[in-house]
């Protein structure tokens, strides 16, 4: 009986596992092997160079600048996005009278918040290129120019460009997590909010002592997803910025340097070494985030 069940399960798993090995594991293995060669994408017999590509990375200032930007995004993007999303989700679902009901029109607000998720990342990047224009056509600079003030170089200043990119990433991601946290709050029994309100908990105490602990599993998942997104950000930087990571590498990230090295300089071996580093950064972050945010599950 158990033998037949094993064969039945194995028959269902065979095709998915085979596809996973072919389209996921095999490309990873190939990338790891290419990282130890000087392959330029055109020569049929790449030369094995051992760890030379990884030694070169240690002296690559541009790559480590990109790593620094990714690490900064790794901290700021989840903190800002989750903080704003939690704030709005709490207001929409538990910000009504007595802190036990949502505000009027909360369904409409959820749809509005979710709008950026409907747009492709490249469309968002092109849209904000126009928003940040340094002339009268720019939505943000037009009022400044009308008042006789100097326009702000949102994408041309090395001091401002990175923060402009961060603002776009947060703007695009917040809506999804507002909807996600709203669904989580809606699943919490209303009696818990009513009991907390009777005990005098409203506003911040209600959020910190009731809502956040019961949403912790959802916040944990959001933290991991946003951390991976921060390490993998590419399209917004590549489309929005001058020199695809400029000015003067002030907005470049690891994914942009990998793409540039592979498809502009045709150094596929060196680009694969960068990809291996990014892979271990991503895996290491996911493991660390799950361990640090682990806590006892609250049942309700």
């Amino acid at each position: 009986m158990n033998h037949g069940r094993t064969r039945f399960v194995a028959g269902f798993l065979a095709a998915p596992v085979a596809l996973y090995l072919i389209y996921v594991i095999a490309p990873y293995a190939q990338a790891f092997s290419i990282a130890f060669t000087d392959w330029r994408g055109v020569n049929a017999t790449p030369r094995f160079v051992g760890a030379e590509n990884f030694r070169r990375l240690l002296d690559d200032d541009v790559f480590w600048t990109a790593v620094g930007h990714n690490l900064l995004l790794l901290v700021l993007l989840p903190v800002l996005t989750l903080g704003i999303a939690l704030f709005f989700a709490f207001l929409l679902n538990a910000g009504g009278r007595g802190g036990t009901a949502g505000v009027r029109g909360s369904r409409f607000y959820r749809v509005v918040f979710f709008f950026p998720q409907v747009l492709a990342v490249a469309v968002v990047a092109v849209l904000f290129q126009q928003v940040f224009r340094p002339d009268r056509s720019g939505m943000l600079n037009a009022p400044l120019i009308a008042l006789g003030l100097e326009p702000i170089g949102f994408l041309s200043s090395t001091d401002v460009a990175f923060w402009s990119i961060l603002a776009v990433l947060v703007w695009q991601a917040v809506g999804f997590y507002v909807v996600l946290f709203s669904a989580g709050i809606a699943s919490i029994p209303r009696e818990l909010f009513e009991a907390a309100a009777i005990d005098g908990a409203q506003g911040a105490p209600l959020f910190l002592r009731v809502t956040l602990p019961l949403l912790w599993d959802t916040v944990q998942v959001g933290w991991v997803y946003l951390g991976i997104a921060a390490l993998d950000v590419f399209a917004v930087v590549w489309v929005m910025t001058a020199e695809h990571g400029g000015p003067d590498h002030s907005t470049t990230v690891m994914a942009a340097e990998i793409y540039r090295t592979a498809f502009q300089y045709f150094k596929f071996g060196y680009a694969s070494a960068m990809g291996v580093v990014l892979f271990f950064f991503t895996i290491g972050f996911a493991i660390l985030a799950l361990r640090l945010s682990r806590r006892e599950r609250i049942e309700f």
Side-chain angles (χ1 to χ4, degrees), residues 97-127:
R97 181 174 301 177
T100 61
V103 298
R104 182 176 299 177
S106 59
R107 292 184 180 179
F108 170 75
Y109 293 131
R110 290 192 199 110
V111 173
V112 172
F113 278 122
F114 197 75
F115 274 166
Q117 291 295 313
V118 179
L119 301 176
V121 178
V123 174
V124 171
V126 172
L127 172 66

Side-chain angles (χ1 to χ4, degrees), residues 225-250:
Y225 282 175
L226 282 168
I228 294 174
L231 290 172
D232 196 37
V233 62
F234 170 74
V236 170
V237 171
W238 194 262
V239 175
M240 279 186 63
T241 60
E243 305 167 6
H244 307 302
D248 195 23
H249 306 296
S250 61

Side-chain angles (χ1 to χ4, degrees), residues 8-257:
F8 179 77
V9 173
F12 272 100
L13 291 178
V17 170
L19 291 174
Y20 187 80
L21 290 173
I22 293 171
Y23 293 107
V24 178
I25 301 301
Y28 272 121
Q30 187 177 21
F32 273 71
S33 64
I34 292 173
F36 293 96
T37 70
D38 64 349
W39 189 48
R40 297 183 62 85
V42 290
N43 51 324
T45 55
R47 183 171 60 93
F48 180 78
V49 295
E52 179 61 28
N53 288 326
F54 296 97
R55 283 193 290 267
R56 287 177 58 194
L57 279 178
L58 296 177
D59 298 323
D60 191 334
D61 293 337
V62 174
F63 177 72
W64 289 108
T65 298
V67 171
H69 291 154
N70 276 114
L71 293 179
L72 193 56
L73 288 173
L74 183 61
V75 175
L76 295 178
L77 182 60
V79 169
L80 294 175
T81 302
L82 296 180
I84 295 171
L86 281 168
F87 175 73
F88 282 123
F90 180 72
L91 289 183
L92 292 177
N93 293 275
R97 181 174 301 177
T100 61
V103 298
R104 182 176 299 177
S106 59
R107 292 184 180 179
F108 170 75
Y109 293 131
R110 290 192 199 110
V111 173
V112 172
F113 278 122
F114 197 75
F115 274 166
Q117 291 295 313
V118 179
L119 301 176
V121 178
V123 174
V124 171
V126 172
L127 172 66
F128 275 92
Q129 265 188 329
Q130 304 306 311
V131 170
F132 291 147
R133 283 176 64 94
D135 52 31
R136 293 183 181 274
S137 300
M139 188 177 74
L140 297 180
N141 276 317
L144 299 179
I145 296 174
L147 293 173
L149 302 175
E150 286 292 324
I152 299 173
F154 288 102
L155 298 177
S156 59
S157 170
T158 56
D159 296 325
V160 180
F162 176 82
W163 305 106
S164 301
I165 296 295
L166 175 61
V168 174
L169 294 173
V170 171
W171 178 86
Q172 187 198 20
V174 159
F176 173 80
Y177 290 96
V178 169
V179 174
L180 181 65
F181 293 146
S182 295
I185 294 174
S187 68
I188 299 174
R190 188 60 54 189
E191 293 80 6
L192 295 178
F193 290 113
E194 293 173 352
I198 292 174
D199 290 337
Q202 294 184 8
L206 178 64
F207 172 76
L208 295 174
R209 297 178 183 178
V210 179
T211 307
L212 185 58
L214 296 176
L215 277 181
W216 188 255
D217 287 344
T218 308
V219 173
Q220 182 188 47
V221 172
W223 188 279
V224 174
Y225 282 175
L226 282 168
I228 294 174
L231 290 172
D232 196 37
V233 62
F234 170 74
V236 170
V237 171
W238 194 262
V239 175
M240 279 186 63
T241 60
E243 305 167 6
H244 307 302
D248 195 23
H249 306 296
S250 61
T251 59
T252 192
V253 290
M254 283 188 280
E257 291 306 314

